Amino acid sequence: MARIIQITDLHVLQDPQALLKGVDVRYFLERVVEQLREQESACDALVITGDHTHDELEASYCYLRDLFAPWSDRLFQVPGNHDERRILRSVFSARIDGHHDELIQFHFETSGWFCLGLDTHDPGRVSGILTEQQVAAARRHADNSAAERIAVFCHHPPVLLESEWMDAIGLAGAEHLRSWCESDPRLQLVCCGHVHHESEHTCGHATILTTPSTGVQFSPLGAVPNFIPGQPGYRVLELTEQGYRTTVTRIDEVATPVL
Ligand SMILES: [Fe+2]
């Protein structure tokens, strides 16, 4: 059994005192990390599915590199819309290969699962993008693996969430990932961030999951971004040769936005 932790949408700012929508994002992230240190120090992988920072500044990424040092040998990352590939890559150069603005993706195998990170960052946009070639390359990669199950990690969810405002900042090219979900019974999990709340949908053979932010929480209701009080958290995935189990775990404190 492999135990994978997914955290997402950290939105850290360079200034340690700065607030985001009235929420002290560093404070809540540090409470999440404290809980991870107590409960998940032995996890097999820690996956960050994007929006590492809110300001995309080097100092913000350096703060995160230090914070996640206990998992530095098991850290896997993809960028979100609030990320800068060059800086993310240079600060985490021990974990991220490639050059400059190339896609930041990852893959590893564990307990019969091929785990794959897809980069959906579209520079200058809140929405994301996946190209047909990118998904085809990922699929070829997975086909070369003997793993019987596939889990994809990416920032933007590839399905509509029945939310007027969230669906407006969705994923161009999502149909390429959806058609993979529909045609390949091995692809059973897609774990995403971006929408700062917990949800579960089905697409073909796959369950599409979204995970709460470590800071500011969103509601899917309404036509414009909807910030709500909520407990920051993360997702625990237990991957086995037979399937998977997953839960969202939250800290005890509520992050209350001030608008
Ligand atoms: Fe975000």
Side-chain angles (χ1 to χ4, degrees):
M1 195 264 284
R3 195 169 175 90
I4 315 290
I5 305 302
Q6 181 206 3
I7 65 165
T8 195
D9 296 278
L10 291 61
H11 287 268
V12 160
L13 294 150
Q14 175 176 242
D15 176 358
Q17 263 78 54
L19 306 178
L20 180 64
K21 304 294 176 193
V23 170
D24 187 340
V25 284
R26 285 198 185 204
Y27 171 80
F28 283 100
L29 174 60
E30 287 170 22
R31 298 292 75 75
V32 167
V33 169
E34 221 170 72
Q35 191 161 315
L36 289 174
R37 277 174 172 276
E38 286 166 14
Q39 298 177 11
E40 305 296 348
S41 61
C43 71
D44 297 285
L46 182 69
V47 177
I48 304 178
T49 50
D51 284 3
H52 291 70
T53 71
H54 195 70
D55 52 19
E56 303 168 28
L57 296 175
E58 185 173 5
S60 304
Y61 287 103
C62 289
Y63 161 78
L64 293 175
R65 185 183 56 198
D66 294 343
L67 195 62
F68 290 103
W71 299 274
S72 60
D73 57 338
R74 293 158 284 160
L75 190 62
F76 297 91
Q77 296 154 277
V78 287
N81 47 296
H82 281 289
D83 278 311
E84 219 288 338
R85 285 194 190 113
R86 277 175 189 249
I87 303 176
L88 174 59
R89 171 172 271 125
S90 72
V91 172
F92 287 91
S93 59
R95 297 297 301 167
I96 301 172
D97 58 11
H99 299 285
H100 309 307
D101 293 324
E102 286 175 10
L103 296 180
I104 294 177
Q105 308 197 121
F106 64 80
H107 62 90
F108 61 92
E109 280 189 43
T110 185
S111 297
W113 286 75
F114 187 78
C115 297
L116 179 77
L118 287 178
D119 181 336
T120 57
H121 176 72
D122 190 2
R125 290 180 184 269
V126 178
S127 55
I129 190 163
L130 268 181
T131 66
E132 192 172 2
Q133 295 85 340
Q134 187 183 356
V135 175
R139 196 166 176 165
R140 280 197 301 277
H141 219 129
D143 287 344
N144 288 331
S145 158
E148 288 186 13
R149 299 168 204 277
I150 301 166
V152 165
F153 295 85
C154 58
H155 185 68
H156 298 81
V159 291
L160 294 177
L161 301 174
E162 296 125 40
S163 164
E164 191 176 348
W165 76 270
M166 288 178 181
D167 291 338
I169 52 167
L171 179 61
E175 65 275 13
H176 307 307
L177 181 52
R178 288 200 302 266
S179 71
W180 187 10
C181 294
E182 283 155 9
S183 60
D184 187 347
R186 293 176 306 158
L187 181 42
Q188 295 176 9
L189 264 180
V190 180
C191 302
C192 310
H194 191 49
V195 292
H196 296 220
H197 83 124
E198 181 183 357
S199 74
E200 180 175 336
H201 291 76
T202 301
C203 177
H205 304 277
T207 301
I208 317 291
L209 301 168
T210 67
T211 295
S213 163
T214 60
V216 181
Q217 307 301 304
F218 293 169
S219 164
L221 300 176
V224 294
N226 190 353
F227 309 94
I228 54 166
Q231 294 160 263
Y234 55 91
R235 181 174 295 281
V236 179
L237 290 155
E238 292 176 347
L239 306 181
T240 70
E241 304 279 349
Q242 289 73 41
Y244 72 89
R245 280 190 299 274
T246 186
T247 51
V248 163
T249 300
R250 296 176 187 264
I251 60 169
D252 286 338
E253 282 181 74
V254 173
T256 303
V258 179
L259 304 175

